Amino acid sequence: MDDCCAPQPPSGYDREFDERFARRLARRYRTEGLTPSARLILSFAASVGLDGASVLEIGGGIGDIQLEALKRGAAHATNVELSSAYEPEAARLLDEAGLRDRATRVLGVDLAGTPEAVERADIVVLHRVVCCYPDYRRLLGAAAGRGNRAVVFSHPTHSLGTRLMARLINGWYTVTGNPYRAFAHAPDAMIEVLRERGFEPRYRERSGPWHVIGAVRA
């Protein structure tokens, strides 16, 4: 399974996904490129049209998807992060690619609570995020409110095994005092949030346990 996601509160996020975790992701990206599920995200974005587009990613980590979007012609990419752990590696990757002037990183903003804190973008991305956020309606609703043309998100398989695994993970973290939590939200319910805000699903693909849903403004 690809690495996931963004726990609440932010202190749990820093504890679960620290600088060592970020360095590991950066090493893998340098040697292997995007993960298969991230490539599906980028494929949908490219089908919508990246040339000259603005991209907003919520919880984009080291910024690998934004880097690839910029390389494919996006005009600007913004990443919203709750933790500072990714920042050193993200900055290095941007500098290595010579793309720092076309990227913005917003730190410490929970988009679900303060969507007005970031500007709207043509394409909004949420990769390996909704599975670890407690209120998917607020998060996806805020994402849709920031999207001009499209929203694309990923979620794990909604099988009985996945739901049981989430309970086991959460039980272990409760015992160990870790505030990280995983959530197995129903895919149809998440898609309905986008429909309520004027987006219609046009893309559904799967890579391993990850499903990618792309929706365009109707």
Side-chain angles (χ1 to χ4, degrees):
M1 180 179 289
D2 293 345
D3 303 292
C4 177
C5 304
Q8 296 293 310
S11 59
Y13 184 88
D14 286 325
R15 174 174 171 175
E16 186 69 16
F17 304 112
D18 56 14
E19 291 183 0
R20 188 167 75 172
F21 177 78
R23 288 194 295 271
R24 178 162 64 85
L25 292 184
R27 284 196 301 270
R28 184 173 68 182
Y29 171 63
R30 287 186 178 98
T31 58
E32 302 176 19
L34 293 179
T35 63
S37 55
R39 287 198 292 269
L40 292 179
I41 295 273
L42 190 67
S43 177
F44 170 74
S47 73
V48 174
L50 280 171
D51 193 29
S54 55
V55 178
L56 168 64
E57 184 167 9
I58 302 163
I62 60 171
D64 48 347
I65 291 177
Q66 296 106 56
L67 280 168
E68 295 300 321
L70 291 170
K71 291 175 183 179
R72 293 198 183 193
H76 192 87
T78 299
N79 179 73
V80 178
E81 264 302 335
L82 286 173
S83 170
S84 61
Y86 295 110
E87 297 310 299
E89 293 301 327
R92 290 187 189 98
L93 290 171
L94 285 169
D95 287 340
E96 290 168 10
L99 294 170
R100 189 187 277 260
D101 61 338
R102 291 165 57 195
T104 300
R105 294 189 64 86
V106 180
L107 184 61
V109 171
D110 181 353
L111 190 82
T114 56
E116 69 281 356
V118 295
E119 295 184 2
R120 296 173 63 90
D122 294 315
I123 302 169
V124 179
V125 175
L126 305 93
H127 186 33
R128 305 177 306 210
V129 172
V130 294
C131 59
C132 301
Y133 198 87
D135 191 341
Y136 71 88
R137 290 193 62 85
R138 287 184 67 193
L139 181 61
L140 287 172
R146 297 289 90 189
N148 294 326
R149 289 159 47 192
V151 176
V152 55
F153 74 95
S154 61
H155 65 84
T157 301
H158 194 246
S159 64
L160 177 60
T162 300
R163 298 196 297 275
L164 289 175
M165 181 61 68
R167 290 189 178 186
L168 289 173
I169 290 171
N170 293 341
W172 172 250
Y173 282 124
T174 297
V175 171
T176 58
N178 189 332
Y180 174 85
R181 294 294 182 271
F183 299 89
H185 304 304
D188 288 345
M190 291 189 286
I191 292 171
E192 186 59 28
V193 174
L194 297 184
R195 283 200 172 107
E196 290 170 359
R197 287 156 178 80
F199 287 85
E200 189 62 29
R202 291 286 185 268
Y203 182 91
R204 301 186 188 212
E205 294 292 341
R206 178 178 177 178
S207 174
W210 292 101
H211 295 250
V212 173
I213 306 297
V216 297
R217 188 169 289 281

